[in-house]
Amino acid sequence: MKPFVDWAKEHKKRGFLGEFAGGDNAVCEAATQNLLNYVESNPDVFIGWTWWAAGPWWGDALRILEPKDGRDAPQMRWLEMRLH
């Protein structure tokens, strides 16, 4: 991420972080939090982000955010505090 941020700042550009994800485990949660902390610490560069993927067509893929049986995917707890 740092090379992109450095380049964007040098060239006065902005960007959007699209389609990142992680499985429901401590390593992925820490990586996601570190990634989003970095994104949020560079608001002059990033205009937003999106998680990969949601929608019933993804079935039981480990990284989707689609609710199942009326319950949010576990990864939603990582993201809820960051949603405005």
Side-chain angles (χ1 to χ4, degrees):
M1 297 298 293
K2 186 176 181 334
F4 170 74
V5 168
D6 292 345
W7 175 88
K9 288 181 179 189
E10 179 183 341
H11 297 283
K12 297 180 178 31
K13 301 292 182 185
R14 303 204 65 205
F16 183 87
L17 175 60
E19 297 194 355
F20 62 93
D24 180 23
N25 61 67
V27 171
C28 289
E29 180 177 6
T32 298
Q33 296 305 337
N34 288 338
L35 173 67
L36 292 177
N37 287 340
Y38 189 74
V39 167
E40 291 174 358
S41 72
N42 288 283
D44 54 327
V45 173
F46 290 100
I47 61 172
W49 52 265
T50 56
W51 183 270
W52 177 96
W57 50 86
W58 290 105
D60 290 330
L62 297 175
R63 296 172 197 92
I64 66 166
L65 287 182
E66 185 69 20
K68 186 172 185 175
D69 299 324
R71 295 176 48 206
D72 283 338
Q75 295 93 326
M76 274 303 297
R77 76 183 190 301
W78 309 348
L79 305 175
E80 286 175 325
M81 66 184 150
R82 299 175 186 275
L83 302 176
H84 313 252

